[in-house]
Amino acid sequence: MKILACVKQVLDSESVFRIREDSDWIETEGDPRYGMNHPDEFVVEEAVALKEAHREVTVDVLTVGPHSASQVLERAVGMGADRAYHILTREEGYLAPFTVSSWIAGFAETRNYDLILCGIMAEDDMQGQVGPMLAEHLGYPCATSVVRETCRPETETIRVEREIEGGRRELLEIALPAVLTLQTGINRPRYPSLSNLLRAKKEKPELLDPARFPMPEDREQFLRAALPPAVRRGVVLEGDTEQKARELHGILKEMAFL
Amino acid sequence: MKKTRDAVVIIAEAQGDETAPITLELLALAREIQLAQPCKIRFLMVGHGTEATARDLARRTGREVVAVEAETLRDYNTETCLEILQEHLPGLSPRFVLMGQTPRGMDLAPRLAVRLGAGCITGVDALCVEEGELRFSRTAFGGKISLQMAPARSITVVTATPGAFTAPQESVSSQGTVRLVSSARRSARSRTLGIIEAPRQERGLSEADVIVAAGRGIGTRENLALIERLASVFPRSAVAASRPLCDQGWMDYPRQVGLTGATVSPKLYFACGISGAVQHAVGMQGSGFIVAVSRDPHAAIFRIADVCVVDDLEAFIPAFLALCREE
């Protein structure tokens, strides 16, 4: 069985950034930290766990991103993925999900994967579109928000539980090959092992030029990034910790919460 | 005859025999679109036993409802639903197809967009009009910024964040119309085996006057004790968490607030180390009064909070607790 795990590099959620002057994207301040998109850690773990549970499973890991994104491939190989592929884009910035999913489909269509795993969404642009669109490009069935899977390679099916409203779950049996997007919490992602990390350092990812895939026309237009409006005009408490605590205590007392 | 694409088609969701709240919220978005660019508004409902809900929807909105009755959807199945939507949508000449940013909408929208050759804009929480052109806003980076998107194709599939638009309170003069059609399509690639019911909801959350909630920003598991102590100073209080904490196993899922957990509206919501990403915010933004404590001055939670405290939790909470003890 061949598995493809799709991962993305994102800016760490606590890094400081602002909107670029041309409003085209964001720019970071100070010492930005980048890492693997949190939901994608579960993707790599699930793929590696499947490899351990079944015979003759290979796990490829793929990212689309700038040079620095190779760090997430290194981490994935460190966790136990076999081979890494990197569709190298020029710089940070907005990339339409339709474009990204078309490139991944172009990569995957000749490689005959049985199972393709993606995260439920990227923490940066939060669109949640690449996985399901990829399924359409390849003509595969798809389930999103998966919280449990049981793969049955012998019958070429996979059973999945996907999360629906109010904590309920839909139980599905899907024919392979298929695309799943995994909800966070489906497993406990492992730390990379030293021996795998050393292998990751030695075996560089295979670089792929996006120009080898068709560049689709935009299906929707990204205009600009902006600050969202405040919903409530909240009071920002001033002073040191003691003063702020005293002020909040006063407010909550006055409102009879205390 | 050439058909012009002149309709906003809302994909309706049902809750039992009634219209799901998100469907009426989508009507609000559709009407905003209609104000800027005159068009028809239609509902399309796909499922099994749709007639009662379709009639309820037509009566409540006075609009045209097309219900596709499918025996094959006795158990809901995305692949089958997609095939039916693909079959019936083009006949309704949609310029926009609206769905909720719900587990079902998120599952369907990107795939439907590819099948229709349409654009796809997910997680929309506002619409504005610039010189007659529609601009959809959607949040990104945990709610810290919003991305402005414009349609670029003759059809655009849009999903709206639950709670972002307010269901219109309109007096309806027309009875509306219901058109029932049937479909026998069934996907061969996916089979629904059943629904697993949710674990018992944490009753404490819905009954509490005060909810103290912890997020990834609390740092260590040991700090949960601080959150518990903070909750204990408020009468009728409960402790909750955002999803990442439950994923880490620090708290049980029934205590999770947000899109995939509980929706709460206590009198006071005290958010500790919560970034305020939309997935969490939709579960608590109806709270009476919101206090947020976070080290990150740019956290999105501060946009919905009434009182914002930028500070380290490990310092702030003990200082606050000391004041409570003084009394």
Side-chain angles (χ1 to χ4, degrees), chain A residues 149-222:
Chain A
E149 56 79 16
T150 316
C151 192
R152 303 173 166 188
E154 64 286 357
T155 58
E156 293 180 6
T157 58
I158 188 163
R159 280 197 178 188
V160 307
E161 288 175 25
R162 65 177 295 266
E163 199 169 51
I164 56 173
E165 284 80 358
R168 299 193 310 154
R169 293 170 174 198
E170 220 169 66
L171 183 60
L172 301 165
E173 186 173 76
I174 301 175
L176 295 175
V179 176
L180 307 183
T181 79
L182 306 186
Q183 176 60 284
T184 57
I186 185 173
N187 53 41
R188 295 280 157 82
R190 70 191 71 191
Y191 289 103
S193 74
L194 185 61
S195 58
N196 279 331
L197 277 178
L198 291 173
R199 183 167 64 84
K201 295 254 185 245
K202 213 167 59 194
E203 299 165 17
K204 291 291 172 200
E206 185 177 324
L207 294 178
L208 302 149
D209 184 350
R212 66 190 277 176
F213 307 114
M215 179 71 192
E217 255 180 72
D218 274 351
R219 299 191 154 211
E220 63 283 321
Q221 194 189 355
F222 167 63

Side-chain angles (χ1 to χ4, degrees), chain A residues 124-126 136 139 142 144 162 169 171 173 175 184 220-221 223-224 226 231-232 235 241 244 253, chain B residues 79 103 107 115 120 122 138 141 144 146 148 150 189 191 193-194 196 247 287 303 306 308 310-311 327:
Chain A
D124 51 7
D125 53 24
M126 299 171 71
E136 280 306 304
C142 173
T144 57
R162 65 177 295 266
R169 293 170 174 198
L171 183 60
E173 186 173 76
T184 57
E220 63 283 321
Q221 194 189 355
L223 298 171
R224 68 183 84 89
V231 178
R232 304 187 186 198
V235 194
T241 297
K244 285 185 278 196
K253 203 155 169 67
Chain B
E79 304 290 334
D107 206 38
R115 289 191 188 195
C120 187
T122 48
R138 52 178 311 285
F141 289 88
K144 287 181 180 176
S146 76
Q148 305 246 312
R189 307 186 299 179
R191 197 157 59 94
L193 304 174
I196 301 166
D247 287 343
S287 302
R303 292 183 202 285
D306 296 284
C308 312
V310 183
D311 209 333
E327 315 218 322

